[in-house]
Amino acid sequence: MTQGAKGIIFIGDGMGGRPCPELDGQTTVEAANTPAMDRIAREGSCGLMDPISPGIPAGSDTSHMAILGYDPYKHYRGRGPFEAKGVGIEVRPGDVAFRCNFATVEGRDVIDRRAGRIKEGTDQLAAAIQEQVPQIEDVEIIFEPSVEHRAALVLRGPGLSHEITEVDPHDPDVPYLDSKPEEGAKDMAAAEKTARILNEFVKRCHEVLEDHPVNRERREKGEFPANIALPRGAGTAVDLQSLEARYGLHAAMIVEVDLVRGLGQYLNMDVIKVEGATGGQDTDELAIAKAVVAALEDHDFVLANIKAPDLGGHDGNAQMKIEAIEKVDRALGHLLESLDWDNTTIMITADHCTPCSIMDHSGDAVPIAFFGNGTRPDDVERFGERACATGIIGHPRGMEIMDILLNMMGRAEKFGA
Ligand code: ZN
Ligand code: ZN
């Protein structure tokens, strides 16, 4: 049991955005009905944050790293290791880890990069891959399913490198690619070997999945078969100081995406899984909020993330994104009712913008608001991109957030005498 002030960072993934023509020029956050966020903004301290630095579109992984105070430019080694660690694969020095998408291909053409956002059966598909492709040359293959269409792959063996090009073309209706050594790779022989093994893995994976019963059933139902796994984001193990050692905070993480969960594990946070937290539009936001309240009983700090707003952004679907933002708001409403705000400080934010007009992450700043213990009110009346721009916190970067929060919590150390 820990005593003293508590802190929360609550993230609506990709919740920030740009004005939408179909919303009369409002952003999705501005258009959504968000009484809890608006109260947090009205009574708390607001601002805009550049997750990494101005104009840099952040990934969820690099943004969460930065918001927790770990410089991604120093520590980031690709997202593969986080995804792998998040699904429980240990990534050892020398391993090369990838995130994968289950996808649909015809010949070499990628028809759907997410296999129709497959939700069920990926554990059976992954088991078939693991059983039938346990090794290529002298390299062990470790393959595990993650949330929805996502999976993780680790290559373990001598002489491997992460300096190889992508297999996943990232665009629909084009062929998937052969991995090659990156130009100027430090160890060209290792990069050539890794690319060769990865290409062989993709080929074998397609053979295993093409006629798998799960896919036969999907075809019968008129759904896209998940008949290939496309690896991307090669990376090697990272070495990060634990959050507790860094800030003296006994910390927990409640997030829905294995990629971010993996970061939490690297930081030695208690990574708490919540029943009903699906990572999708149907997630149980109240279960997540209740888990945050419960975690604060024996932790000083909790980082929580609800993934759904990012999905609407990537789909270019403003209405879907608004509904997801309103889910985040209901979770925050539960926190407002349940916690002792004389002793607790919360920061709400997005980890990046995912504007519907771009259908991907942008480098725009995101609205932020701090509420509770140690905050100073400003004139901001509601939560949103333009309202928060006039707030008292101003315009910090992600890397500065933990210092701001620790100060409000009364846990900052004096610099000087
Ligand atoms: Zn994100
Ligand atoms: Zn995203």
Side-chain angles (χ1 to χ4, degrees):
M1 187 65 201
T2 46
Q3 300 293 322
K6 310 276 184 174
I8 305 167
I9 293 179
F10 205 105
I11 295 173
D13 206 293
M15 188 164 71
R18 290 182 179 176
C20 300
E22 68 266 46
L23 302 173
D24 292 331
Q26 296 185 91
T27 68
T28 45
V29 171
E30 289 167 348
N33 178 29
T34 54
M37 291 184 207
D38 291 343
R39 181 178 162 207
I40 288 169
R42 195 167 54 244
E43 297 178 26
S45 311
C46 299
L48 287 180
M49 171 183 78
D50 283 306
I52 308 238
S53 63
I56 302 297
S60 291
D61 46 7
T62 47
S63 170
H64 280 77
M65 270 178 109
I67 290 170
L68 289 171
Y70 297 80
D71 186 348
Y73 288 116
K74 269 194 207 137
H75 299 290
Y76 188 63
R77 303 268 181 280
R79 59 198 310 176
F82 296 131
E83 188 87 9
K85 192 134 182 161
V87 298
I89 308 177
E90 187 201 349
V91 184
R92 303 179 190 163
D95 290 355
V96 180
F98 304 82
R99 357 171 40 205
C100 297
N101 270 15
F102 282 105
T104 307
V105 291
E106 271 174 33
R108 285 190 70 102
D109 285 343
V110 178
I111 307 300
D112 189 326
R113 275 189 68 233
R114 303 186 180 101
R117 285 205 180 274
I118 183 168
K119 288 193 169 58
E120 280 162 21
T122 54
D123 44 349
Q124 288 150 268
L125 298 174
I129 293 171
Q130 186 67 85
E131 193 187 307
Q132 293 177 52
V133 195
Q135 191 167 347
I136 297 171
E137 298 178 22
D138 58 355
V139 172
E140 188 187 344
I141 307 292
I142 306 162
F143 187 84
E144 292 277 349
S146 172
V147 182
E148 296 190 333
H149 55 277
R150 303 179 189 91
L153 167 70
V154 169
L155 304 182
R156 177 168 297 157
L160 297 174
S161 161
H162 68 284
E163 292 180 306
I164 55 171
T165 61
E166 304 265 294
V167 171
D168 185 339
H170 293 267
D171 293 308
D173 303 318
V174 293
Y176 67 85
L177 308 165
D178 269 331
S179 180
K180 297 190 181 76
E182 272 178 2
E183 256 174 66
K186 280 191 215 91
D187 185 342
M188 194 50 83
E192 274 167 8
K193 174 179 175 179
T194 311
R196 182 174 74 237
I197 286 171
L198 189 68
N199 293 330
E200 179 66 17
F201 169 80
V202 172
K203 181 170 152 263
R204 302 262 294 269
C205 184
H206 182 41
E207 289 164 6
V208 170
L209 297 182
E210 179 66 16
D211 279 317
H212 190 282
V214 167
N215 282 329
R216 276 199 301 243
E217 203 177 304
R218 289 182 68 78
R219 283 195 187 92
E220 274 164 29
K221 284 196 263 177
E223 295 171 342
F224 286 120
N227 62 357
I228 202 163
L230 296 177
R232 61 193 157 108
T236 50
V238 288
D239 184 22
L240 295 170
Q241 189 185 24
S242 80
L243 201 95
E244 184 143 14
R246 177 84 182 268
Y247 301 112
L249 296 175
H250 185 50
M253 180 182 265
I254 297 173
V255 299
E256 301 187 285
V257 174
D258 285 326
L259 181 64
V260 179
R261 199 174 281 142
L263 171 65
Q265 283 163 347
Y266 271 111
L267 297 176
N268 240 336
M269 300 168 79
D270 287 331
V271 176
I272 297 169
K273 279 207 179 191
V274 176
E275 185 101 21
T278 61
Q281 193 74 2
D282 60 349
T283 198
D284 184 346
E285 68 273 13
L286 275 185
I288 293 170
K290 285 175 186 164
V292 171
V293 173
L296 278 176
E297 283 181 15
D298 53 3
H299 294 86
D300 308 306
F301 172 74
V302 177
L303 181 137
N305 177 312
I306 291 182
K307 174 68 180 169
D310 189 50
L311 304 176
H314 282 287
D315 280 2
N317 186 333
Q319 205 50 48
M320 180 178 159
K321 190 171 172 187
I322 285 173
E323 283 164 25
I325 291 167
E326 291 175 350
K327 264 178 175 284
V328 175
D329 195 74
R330 279 194 290 278
L332 292 169
H334 180 80
L335 298 186
L336 287 179
E337 284 167 19
S338 309
L339 294 167
D340 169 15
W341 294 102
D342 291 334
N343 193 42
T344 310
T345 314
I346 188 172
M347 181 241 191
I348 64 169
T349 183
D351 55 342
H352 47 76
C353 291
T354 312
C356 294
S357 54
I358 297 183
M359 296 170 72
D360 204 343
H361 304 182
S362 72
D364 305 304
V366 295
I368 58 172
F370 294 81
F371 174 89
N373 181 23
T375 57
R376 300 183 294 174
D378 47 30
D379 291 332
V380 178
E381 290 288 329
R382 56 188 296 235
F383 190 70
E385 285 80 354
R386 77 195 80 190
C388 288
T390 62
I392 194 168
I393 300 293
H395 202 137
R397 298 187 184 193
M399 285 280 291
E400 296 166 326
I401 293 303
M402 283 303 288
D403 286 337
I404 297 171
L405 185 65
L406 287 166
N407 172 56
M408 290 173 179
M409 292 166 69
R411 285 176 177 263
E413 272 176 41
K414 190 192 285 179
F415 177 48

